[in-house]
Amino acid sequence: AGGPRLQRQEDRRHRLRGDGGQIVQRLLHEARLTLSTAESCTGGVLAGDLMDRAGASRGFRGGMVVF
């Protein structure tokens, strides 16, 4: 359902999302900073991306999803 165009868009979105979380995690680690999030319309996507890798708890302290 959705065809090849929709699949390409989904593939691109997942590649960008994975890269962003990795970059943020590396920057936090290098700067010895931590991050907490507050999300609404994103439904926790940012926090999920940041936590989707080993060692995430070193820089990510937690998040809230509020509607």
Side-chain angles (χ1 to χ4, degrees):
R5 182 177 178 185
L6 181 60
Q7 185 60 45
R8 282 193 308 271
Q9 289 173 344
E10 285 292 310
D11 290 346
R12 182 172 181 264
R13 184 176 66 86
H14 287 294
R15 279 196 313 273
L16 292 174
R17 188 173 158 217
D19 292 345
Q22 186 174 19
I23 291 167
V24 169
Q25 187 181 34
R26 189 191 76 224
L27 292 172
L28 289 171
H29 180 70
E30 288 173 0
R32 297 182 182 193
L33 296 173
T34 59
L35 176 71
S36 296
T37 61
E39 302 179 67
S40 179
C41 297
T42 56
V45 171
L46 177 59
D49 189 37
L50 293 170
M51 290 302 300
D52 194 26
R53 57 201 81 255
S57 61
R58 286 182 291 161
F60 183 66
R61 303 316 263 167
M64 296 290 294
V65 178
V66 219
F67 288 96

